[in-house]
Amino acid sequence: MTRSVKPKVPAHSAGDEGNTFKLPEQVDKKAVRQGNRRHELLDAAARRFCREGYDRTSVRDIAEDVGILSGSIYYHFASKEELLVAVHEEGVKRITGEVLRAIAACAEPWERLERACAAHMGTLLDGSDYAQVVIRELPREPGPARTRLILLRDQYEAIFTNLIKDLPLRKGVSLTYLRLLLLGALNSSQGWYQKGNDGDADKPADIAKQFVGLLRNTIDKGDGR
Amino acid sequence: MTRSVKPKVPAHSAGDEGNTFKLPEQVDKKAVRQGNRRHELLDAAARRFCREGYDRTSVRDIAEDVGILSGSIYYHFASKEELLVAVHEEGVKRITGEVLRAIAACAEPWERLERACAAHMGTLLDGSDYAQVVIRELPREPGPARTRLILLRDQYEAIFTNLIKDLPLRKGVSLTYLRLLLLGALNSSQGWYQKGNDGDADKPADIAKQFVGLLRNTIDKGDGR
Amino acid sequence: MTRSVKPKVPAHSAGDEGNTFKLPEQVDKKAVRQGNRRHELLDAAARRFCREGYDRTSVRDIAEDVGILSGSIYYHFASKEELLVAVHEEGVKRITGEVLRAIAACAEPWERLERACAAHMGTLLDGSDYAQVVIRELPREPGPARTRLILLRDQYEAIFTNLIKDLPLRKGVSLTYLRLLLLGALNSSQGWYQKGNDGDADKPADIAKQFVGLLRNTIDKGDGR
Amino acid sequence: MTRSVKPKVPAHSAGDEGNTFKLPEQVDKKAVRQGNRRHELLDAAARRFCREGYDRTSVRDIAEDVGILSGSIYYHFASKEELLVAVHEEGVKRITGEVLRAIAACAEPWERLERACAAHMGTLLDGSDYAQVVIRELPREPGPARTRLILLRDQYEAIFTNLIKDLPLRKGVSLTYLRLLLLGALNSSQGWYQKGNDGDADKPADIAKQFVGLLRNTIDKGDGR
DNA sequence: GATGAATGAGCCTTCATTCAT
DNA sequence: AATGAATGAAGGCTCATTCAT
């Protein structure tokens, strides 16, 4: 009949990927302001989730950071959990981009791994609240959100699976445990790395290289058996 | 060392109604029960904190597990946070005990590290809710509790610092990063290890040995420089 | 008179996407649409108020049913309460029309009452969401809306007052209580009547006739007094 | 082992029916105050649900009426809906008691019905907020609460089914429709009866008798066909 | 040692409504 | 005629904690 479009849902589920042909003339401020609030909200959520944890962050906190009332958040996101999912998505997108960019112009396998780890650590520790949330805040109870988040994380880690597969390794070395060892160590850095003490301390990228080095080079004084 | 769950404390299977025949011979029951409740409470708290997280566990949950009302907990512990501290303390005590026992009768440095890692992993993954809480649940906000808990953890990790110091390592290898790498990897296993898939999968101790092996032995196909 | 649902208003089956070919012949569509939205809104409101109750229906629900955003409703109606008033008005108009039509061509007093009751019941149970709202959803708190709605209902019930006044009744029979008894019974049918069980069960009109029959005919086995 | 009793749940589900052997010496005030708060809460809830409707009554309203904070209600009742169920239960208990008492010492079938109706009306209109809630406030959405409430109501109405079955009625009179007619009319009185205008207006019991009289006696001036 | 009852703050969410565009 | 974004109040409910008994 003549029903226009059914807007029905406000800003949630803004599934606009891919086909956004934007003529450069069409830089309309409507679209700009559109995503702005959502972005601010996401930033605030990422910061809070990262610093205080998902559970200890209240929807009110996030709203206040952005300067709106807590109820207004629900115009942009259907629930607190959906905010978490959105932060995860952005986090994975960012760290993936960072890592992919780091290994793009390099072919040597160990070098690629090292650069990937450096990018991973850099994003995690220096760069982005988003990325830290990806690693720290996984909903404990089973449900669609948890499932989706695990999937996202697995997709990201597949990059490392591939990187490791390309390494010239001695026979018998377990690729899986190598990945687990490396990523586990990398991610645990959140627990002890102190941001901001520049100068004397190692930078995230340096730490990553140290870790890879410990694996790559023989550390044993003897003959390595 | 498998399955050292709840030593000296009676398991609380919560299904004992009716048969409370007080034999006159059982005189000192009151005295026995004295410390029991505290232990039961601690067990319940450890289980809940481990499975659901500190924030998502309510004091009521713990009280119910033990069969008392939530208010009654405050006779035994001054606050929820103190419960956490107590669980940490017990956790550190247990994992420390396991690790020290594992390395007691061994002198070879690499072997000692391997055994320590195996004990660490075993306690963490197979043994004790307490130990997992030590690694997972650190109060985010600064305060005396957090300070105390970090101190406890550091004391435990000093064992590994020493173990690593005794290793015959090539010059230039960073002892600190080696410890960080190893413990980070070990502890991250909580995120991916699936308890209970008996038979085909590796046991916690095996995983620990794999990790140490990846570090100790040259993994590179080349000459390792 | 069965199934007089939504006359003159297009049914909103909410499944018309894509095929909006605007034929040039269809010029006055805009003008047609003018009043349409108001009607669609009213239909949706009537359905919701009837099925879920006024309080449990949100303005958003109604808006969604029609395919607009909740704020847009306020272009057509000043408030949720005004929507209710409008539904009532339409409901009274419809049931009044049905009842008047039913008794138009009949002169015998008891027959007229019977037909009126049948029309009342038919509209209520089979026909219109609007009519049900009239009977069910009266604002509890005093105010202009409530006053107006009661007035409307009283005007409608005056039809029955007159019908009963024309009945050849024994002296001493209270016309008021007779009306109250009859309408009370008729309207309470909403609580137990199950729509849709075709075939074996009585139709609304039959039930109405049964009720009138119970009043008109002696039911006592004895001599009735 | 030695767990005392598991109190676990506070006052909810206080299933103490039947076997409360109370020695007259044991009039302990503990038990008295025990149920007191629950009772006050129930009274306040009944009043509010009756006057303003379930949906328009907030848990805070009820709490305020009683002088406690809204959260404290949840010590006594698990949810707002459970409050409604409890009010229903009490309401059915009261009206059932009233009706049973009214017909106890009477054997004549029509007289019994009349007395039952009088008691029903009296309880509904003059006596108890509880009873009115039973008739007015049924949860719209399917679920255990609704199911339970319908069951309760049906059990009560079975009294009338039996009363009507005992009536000396002419062949062909539908017992079901007679009950529906009578109860429908009786219950609809909530909509028009004005409490408190004593003196000139009829009392609830009188109205009930009028209704029964309209059914029992021939109202038609003719021969009743 | 524990209960019963409550507090007070806070939680996530929903809602009717507004208004510039 | 309708949208997009927000408001402000309120909603049901949970929680750590307290304290007289």
Side-chain angles (χ1 to χ4, degrees), chain A residues 49-56 110 136-137 140-141 153 168-174 176-178 180-186 188 191-192 201-203 206-207 210-211 214-225, chain B residues 49-56 108 110 136-137 140-141 146 153 168-174 177-178 180-186 188 191-192 202-203 206-207 210-211 214-225:
Chain A
F49 291 165
C50 175
R51 261 149 243 218
E52 285 157 38
Y54 177 77
D55 287 323
R56 304 193 76 84
W110 278 106
R136 265 197 209 154
E137 299 291 341
R140 205 98 52 157
E141 69 236 62
R153 207 199 44 191
L169 295 175
R170 271 194 13 204
K171 201 156 256 167
V173 169
S174 162
T176 298
Y177 283 129
L178 183 52
L180 258 12
L181 171 63
L182 192 54
L183 282 174
L186 253 25
S188 77
W192 45 262
D202 287 333
K203 297 262 181 295
D206 298 327
I207 299 171
Q210 291 258 15
F211 279 177
L214 285 169
L215 280 165
R216 182 183 187 180
N217 309 128
T218 303
I219 62 175
D220 195 9
K221 211 208 271 177
D223 63 338
R225 205 167 323 169
Chain B
F49 292 165
C50 174
R51 258 147 249 222
E52 282 153 41
Y54 176 77
D55 287 323
R56 305 193 76 86
E108 204 281 311
W110 277 106
R136 266 195 206 157
E137 300 290 342
R140 207 98 54 156
E141 70 235 59
R146 182 180 157 90
R153 208 198 44 191
L169 295 175
R170 273 197 10 211
K171 198 157 259 170
V173 169
S174 161
Y177 283 129
L178 183 52
L180 257 11
L181 173 63
L182 193 53
L183 283 174
L186 252 25
S188 78
W192 46 262
D202 287 335
K203 297 262 180 296
D206 299 326
I207 299 171
Q210 291 257 16
F211 279 177
L214 285 169
L215 280 164
R216 183 183 187 183
N217 308 128
T218 303
I219 62 174
D220 196 6
K221 214 207 271 176
D223 66 335
R225 201 171 332 164

Side-chain angles (χ1 to χ4, degrees), chain A residues 10 20 30 51 62 78 107 112 133 137 147 153 158 190 207:
Chain A
T20 34
K30 194 155 286 179
R51 261 149 243 218
I62 299 170
R112 281 166 62 85
V133 173
E137 299 291 341
T147 306
R153 207 199 44 191
Q190 288 182 320
I207 299 171

Side-chain angles (χ1 to χ4, degrees), chain D residues 114-133:
Chain D
E114 202 176 276
R115 289 187 186 194
C117 291
H120 178 92
M121 282 287 254
T123 311
L124 212 58
L125 299 181
D126 255 358
S128 167
D129 294 329
Y130 289 88
Q132 288 204 48
V133 172

Side-chain angles (χ1 to χ4, degrees), chain B residues 102-113 115 163 166-167:
Chain B
I103 62 177
C106 176
E108 204 281 311
W110 277 106
E111 180 75 12
R112 280 166 63 83
L113 180 65
R115 290 190 185 193
L163 248 20
D166 294 339
L167 250 27

Side-chain angles (χ1 to χ4, degrees), chain C residues 15-182:
Chain C
D16 52 329
E17 304 116 52
N19 57 351
T20 36
F21 297 95
K22 299 195 188 189
L23 297 176
E25 296 83 39
Q26 229 175 338
V27 189
D28 60 341
K29 193 192 240 176
K30 205 151 282 179
V32 167
R33 226 206 299 196
Q34 205 88 6
N36 260 13
R37 266 292 146 77
R38 197 176 196 272
H39 265 99
E40 284 182 62
L41 243 10
L42 233 35
D43 269 4
R47 164 129 66 231
R48 288 276 187 182
F49 291 165
C50 174
R51 258 147 249 221
E52 283 154 41
Y54 177 77
D55 287 322
R56 304 194 77 85
T57 297
S58 81
V59 169
R60 266 211 244 311
D61 290 336
I62 299 170
E64 268 171 40
D65 288 348
V66 157
I68 61 176
L69 290 179
S70 66
S72 309
I73 283 194
Y74 291 80
Y75 179 83
H76 302 277
F77 296 92
S79 69
K80 190 189 175 189
E81 207 183 37
E82 226 178 61
L83 253 173
L84 177 61
V85 171
V87 169
H88 264 256
E89 273 162 357
E90 179 65 22
V92 168
K93 199 198 288 183
R94 290 192 189 189
I95 202 169
T96 301
E98 294 298 340
V99 169
L100 290 182
R101 191 167 313 124
I103 62 176
C106 176
E108 205 281 311
W110 277 107
E111 179 75 15
R112 280 165 63 84
L113 180 65
E114 203 176 274
R115 289 189 186 193
C117 290
H120 179 92
M121 283 285 257
T123 311
L124 212 59
L125 299 180
D126 253 1
S128 167
D129 295 329
Y130 288 90
Q132 288 205 46
V133 173
V134 172
I135 279 142
R136 265 197 208 155
E137 299 290 341
L138 201 60
R140 207 99 54 156
E141 70 234 60
R146 182 179 156 92
T147 306
R148 166 141 184 67
L149 264 27
I150 287 181
L151 179 69
L152 279 176
R153 207 198 45 190
D154 286 351
Q155 283 170 351
Y156 169 66
E157 294 192 352
I159 300 177
F160 283 84
T161 306
N162 285 325
L163 249 19
I164 285 171
K165 200 172 57 200
D166 294 338
L167 249 26
L169 295 175
R170 269 195 15 208
K171 198 157 257 168
V173 169
S174 162
L175 304 188
T176 299
Y177 282 129
L178 183 53
R179 190 191 77 238
L180 257 12
L181 173 63
L182 192 54

Side-chain angles (χ1 to χ4, degrees), chain D residues 79-132:
Chain D
S79 68
K80 191 190 175 191
E81 207 183 37
E82 224 182 61
L83 252 173
L84 177 61
V85 171
V87 169
H88 265 254
E89 271 161 0
E90 180 64 23
V92 168
K93 200 196 287 184
R94 290 192 187 188
I95 201 168
T96 300
E98 227 50 68
V99 168
L100 255 25
R101 191 167 314 122
I103 62 176
C106 176
E108 205 281 312
W110 278 105
E111 179 76 14
R112 280 165 66 84
L113 180 64
E114 202 176 276
R115 289 187 186 194
C117 291
H120 178 92
M121 282 287 254
T123 311
L124 212 58
L125 299 181
D126 255 358
S128 167
D129 294 329
Y130 289 88
Q132 288 204 48

Side-chain angles (χ1 to χ4, degrees), chain A residues 85-103:
Chain A
V85 171
V87 169
H88 264 254
E89 271 161 0
E90 179 65 23
V92 167
K93 200 196 287 185
R94 290 193 188 188
I95 202 169
T96 300
E98 226 52 69
V99 169
L100 255 26
R101 190 168 313 122
I103 62 176

